[in-house]
Amino acid sequence: MIVSVSGAACVRVLDSRSLFQGVRVAPAKNIIRRLSRSAKLLVVITVLTLTATSRTKASSEDDARTVAALDTKYQAAVKDNDATTMDQILADDFILVTGRGHVYNKPELIEQARKKEVIYEHQEEEVGSQKVRIWGDTAVVTALLWVKAVQEGKPVDYKLWFSDTYVRTPTGWRYVFGQASLPLPKAESK
């Protein structure tokens, strides 16, 4: 129903039948033929934009799943002292900064794994704590990590938060930068 107002006091109510009475609707192909070049271009751009947006969203979700799995694979490789897998995932210019300010590079971490300097019982992300954020060709993973191991002959058991940054390269996603918090106090890490 459409309300038409004319003048100060005259209100007329029209229903859709009387409003469009006598109006001929052209078939869709005739409408497209009648559009100007700029209108056709606008339609094409709109369709492409909507298509690209939906693909980008799907692509971001796929990327997030890929990076999440890769980061979980990396944590498992650390736990197993699997230097080969770590080497495949880490970028050549990789850097890790710990909560105590120590800086490690790729060769140092690979060497520690080869020497089995730490023997892990646990080196896993807490279930449900992992979050992956994607910005184009960059991804950041944050999660709560539980570490239980023997390091330098001493048992360690703590949890910490970390952020791992991945970058898409021509050969796939690579882990380029990591930052870890200090171990959390026992009361806060549960």
Side-chain angles (χ1 to χ4, degrees):
M1 178 183 307
I2 297 174
V3 176
S4 172
V5 178
S6 60
C10 183
V11 175
R12 200 167 137 207
V13 177
L14 304 172
D15 68 15
S16 60
R17 284 180 301 236
S18 63
L19 182 64
F20 293 108
Q21 208 167 22
V23 174
R24 227 178 61 184
V25 178
K29 68 180 184 179
N30 289 339
I31 292 172
I32 292 172
R33 254 190 245 146
R34 291 180 185 166
L35 288 175
S36 69
R37 242 188 216 163
S38 58
K40 288 177 186 175
L41 181 60
L42 182 61
V43 169
V44 168
I45 289 171
T46 302
V47 168
L48 290 175
T49 301
L50 292 173
T51 304
T53 302
S54 65
R55 280 189 197 146
T56 300
K57 184 173 182 186
S59 175
S60 288
E61 291 168 1
D62 291 343
D63 288 342
R65 281 190 291 277
T66 298
V67 172
L70 189 59
D71 199 64
T72 301
K73 181 178 178 179
Y74 179 77
Q75 300 306 333
V78 170
K79 178 183 179 184
D80 296 338
N81 285 303
D82 180 352
T84 302
T85 300
M86 291 170 63
D87 185 47
Q88 292 168 352
I89 295 171
L90 295 173
D92 290 338
D93 57 351
F94 169 84
I95 295 293
L96 169 67
V97 180
T98 69
R100 290 191 171 82
H102 190 91
V103 178
Y104 293 94
N105 60 31
K106 179 179 179 174
E108 290 171 318
L109 291 182
I110 299 298
E111 188 61 23
Q112 284 180 358
R114 284 192 179 115
K115 289 182 176 179
K116 299 187 186 311
E117 290 181 8
V118 180
I119 305 301
Y120 294 93
E121 182 179 332
H122 285 282
Q123 165 69 25
E124 291 96 11
E125 298 167 359
E126 288 288 310
V127 175
S129 70
Q130 186 190 68
K131 176 72 177 162
V132 180
R133 293 166 182 86
I134 303 287
W135 295 277
D137 290 337
T138 304
V140 176
V141 179
T142 54
L144 180 62
L145 184 69
W146 177 24
V147 177
K148 186 173 183 181
V150 175
Q151 186 173 6
E152 298 174 3
K154 298 176 192 166
V156 295
D157 185 359
Y158 58 88
K159 293 181 182 176
L160 60 79
W161 281 97
F162 70 82
S163 294
D164 292 346
T165 303
Y166 287 78
V167 173
R168 186 190 330 262
T169 70
T171 59
W173 289 94
R174 292 291 173 264
Y175 181 13
V176 295
F177 179 76
Q179 186 155 16
S181 73
L182 287 169
L184 300 174
K186 292 288 182 191
E188 291 181 33
S189 64
K190 293 181 181 182

